[in-house]
């Protein structure tokens, strides 16, 4: 008979990379950034010995980057699905912003990671957040072009338009994390109006550019 492995009380005999990510995610939130976590704290939450952490991550920086990447993928999936369901410029803006603010107020904490680490994290964290924002911009650029073609509206500098929208939404989101719940609707409507201003502006510039070419 083979020997039975007995783990220490409170510790799991087998743990995965995803278990450690989930443990770290439980510790972060609106008032707590990934950069403030310690290895021992995460190991304790995961129910493992600190040395077991190194079987999955080289250090806390690698864990933080993995969390940022997870947050980016998750949020892009959620907002992308909302954009694909929408049929017009107006509905795309509203559905995307509503989903963003809902995630901002939810308990899954993934969006908080993107918003916090771009401001308070290390250079490695900031670079990881920047990569995720670039992914958002690339996907939004494709959607803006698709909608402009479908509705036969102009679109001036699609990539720059997508960047302006993305950076605005994330900047406002960073300040909105600490707002009370009763101000969620106000934040949503303000963001929708701001993004619509950008969309109207890019359509106007495109029309002016087209008129100049036609002269």
């Amino acid at each position: 008979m083979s020997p039975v492995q007995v783990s220490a009380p409170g510790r799991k005999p087998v743990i995965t990379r995803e278990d450690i990510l989930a443990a770290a995610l439980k510790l972060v939130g609106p008032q707590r950034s990934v950069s403030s976590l310690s290895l021992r704290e995460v190991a304790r939450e995961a129910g493992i010995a600190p040395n077991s952490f190194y079987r999955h991550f080289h250090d806390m920086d690698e864990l933080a980057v993995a969390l940022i990447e997870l947050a980016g993928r998750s949020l892009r999936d959620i907002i992308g699905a909302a954009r694909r369901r929408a049929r017009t410029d107006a509905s795309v803006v509203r559905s995307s912003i509503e989903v963003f603010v809902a995630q901002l107020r939810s308990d899954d904490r993934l969006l908080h990671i993107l918003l916090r680490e771009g401001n308070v994290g290390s250079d490695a964290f900031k670079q990881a957040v920047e990569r995720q924002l670039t992914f958002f911009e690339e996907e939004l650029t494709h959607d803006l072009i698709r909608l402009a073609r479908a509705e036969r509206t102009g679109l001036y500098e699609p990539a720059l338009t997508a960047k302006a929208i993305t950076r605005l939404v994330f900047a406002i989101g960073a300040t909105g994390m600490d707002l009370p719940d009763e101000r969620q609707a106000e934040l949503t409507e303000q963001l929708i109006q701001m993004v619509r201003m950008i969309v109207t502006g890019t359509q106007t510039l495109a029309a002016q550019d087209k008129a100049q070419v036609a002269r």
Side-chain angles (χ1 to χ4, degrees):
M1 180 180 296
S2 58
V4 177
Q5 290 185 339
V6 179
S7 59
R11 290 181 180 170
K12 301 176 182 178
V14 178
I15 195 165
T16 65
R17 180 183 175 93
E18 288 69 30
D19 290 330
I20 297 176
L21 288 171
L25 196 56
K26 290 180 181 178
L27 297 171
V28 300
Q31 308 301 327
R32 189 81 191 274
S33 70
V34 177
S35 56
S36 70
L37 300 181
S38 70
L39 188 153
R40 288 187 176 277
E41 192 176 13
V42 173
R44 182 169 59 249
E45 181 67 32
I48 60 173
N51 286 343
S52 298
F53 175 92
Y54 295 107
R55 297 176 186 172
H56 302 280
F57 297 98
H58 288 104
D59 51 30
M60 287 296 293
D61 274 7
E62 185 179 355
L63 170 66
V65 169
L67 275 174
I68 291 168
E69 291 173 349
L70 174 64
R73 288 195 304 272
S74 176
L75 189 61
R76 287 202 311 277
D77 287 345
I78 293 170
I79 294 180
R83 285 206 305 264
R84 286 189 294 272
R85 288 194 299 268
R87 299 299 181 187
T88 65
D89 281 343
S91 60
V92 164
V93 171
R94 177 165 290 279
S95 59
S96 299
I97 297 301
E98 286 177 346
V99 167
F100 180 88
V101 175
Q103 289 299 114
L104 190 66
R105 313 306 300 178
S106 72
D107 293 329
D108 73 1
R109 307 180 185 185
L110 287 172
L111 179 54
H112 299 158
I113 292 173
L114 286 178
L115 296 175
R116 292 286 189 201
E117 303 311 319
N119 296 318
V120 302
S122 68
D123 287 343
F125 301 174
K126 293 175 182 177
Q127 290 169 9
V129 171
E130 182 66 26
R131 285 196 298 272
Q132 296 305 313
L133 292 180
T134 299
F135 292 149
F136 275 103
E137 291 162 11
E138 291 172 351
E139 292 180 3
L140 180 55
T141 298
H142 293 311
D143 278 346
L144 289 172
I145 292 172
R146 173 179 61 82
L147 284 167
R149 287 174 178 169
E151 298 195 353
R152 298 181 180 179
T153 60
L155 185 62
Y156 186 82
E157 294 289 344
L160 191 57
T161 301
K163 184 171 186 176
I165 292 172
T166 301
R167 302 298 165 139
L168 167 70
V169 170
F170 274 81
I172 296 297
T175 63
M177 282 191 296
D178 300 322
L179 289 177
D181 290 342
E182 57 268 22
R183 293 193 61 188
Q184 177 176 333
E186 177 187 357
L187 176 66
T188 300
E189 292 305 318
Q190 286 182 350
L191 270 175
I192 288 171
Q193 291 303 318
M194 290 178 187
V195 173
R196 284 179 176 167
M197 288 176 185
I198 294 175
V199 173
T200 300
T202 194
Q203 290 172 345
T204 301
L205 287 171
Q208 292 175 350
D209 194 49
K210 184 177 180 180
Q212 289 177 354
V213 171
R215 289 175 184 173

